[in-house]
Amino acid sequence: MVRLNKNGGPRNPEKIDRMCALFTDLSSKDMKRDLYIVAHVIRIGRMLLNDSKKGPPHLHYRRPYGCAVLSIMDVLQSITEIKEEKDFVLKVYT
C-alpha cells in the first residue's frame, strides 16, 4: 500500500525507497499465464470532491477513486528487449 498526498506525491518522502514490491513465489507455470498488476486507488477524505469546509471536519470517508492495470507480459517483454531498467506508467481510470 502506498499513501500519496493531495498533489500525488509520496506522503512520506523519506520512505520512498519502500514504494516497491518483489514477487518471489511465481513459478514458470504462473509466468506463462496472463498476469496483471492491478492498482486500486482509494480516496480518503470528505465526501465532496472540492473538500470544502462544510460539515464536520473529523469525518473522513474511504471510497473508490479509480483503477489501473498493467500486463506482466508487457513488462517482461520490454525488459528482455532493452536489458535495462525501465519505468512503466499505469493510467488510472476513474
Side-chain angles (χ1 to χ4, degrees):
M1 184 169 100
V2 177
R3 289 184 178 254
L4 303 176
N5 61 21
K6 65 181 178 182
N7 298 324
R11 190 170 178 187
N12 298 325
E14 64 276 358
K15 296 182 181 180
I16 198 160
D17 57 332
R18 293 184 184 177
M19 295 175 63
C20 62
L22 176 64
F23 302 95
T24 59
D25 58 348
L26 296 174
S27 67
S28 58
K29 184 180 177 183
D30 290 329
M31 297 306 287
K32 292 178 183 173
R33 296 182 183 168
D34 287 336
L35 295 177
Y36 298 93
I37 294 175
V38 178
H40 297 272
V41 181
I42 304 295
R43 183 181 190 280
I44 299 174
R46 299 178 184 203
M47 288 301 283
L48 301 172
L49 284 176
N50 61 4
D51 277 343
S52 68
K53 302 299 180 197
K54 294 180 183 176
H58 64 281
L59 290 179
H60 291 284
Y61 299 97
R62 188 173 185 267
R63 62 188 191 275
Y65 180 77
C67 186
V69 179
L70 178 66
S71 171
I72 296 290
M73 293 305 281
D74 294 343
V75 172
L76 292 176
Q77 286 174 356
S78 70
I79 288 175
T80 55
E81 289 173 3
I82 57 176
K83 306 267 189 214
E84 64 184 41
E85 202 172 298
K86 182 180 176 184
D87 291 334
F88 294 91
V89 178
L90 283 76
K91 182 176 180 182
V92 177
Y93 294 93
T94 57

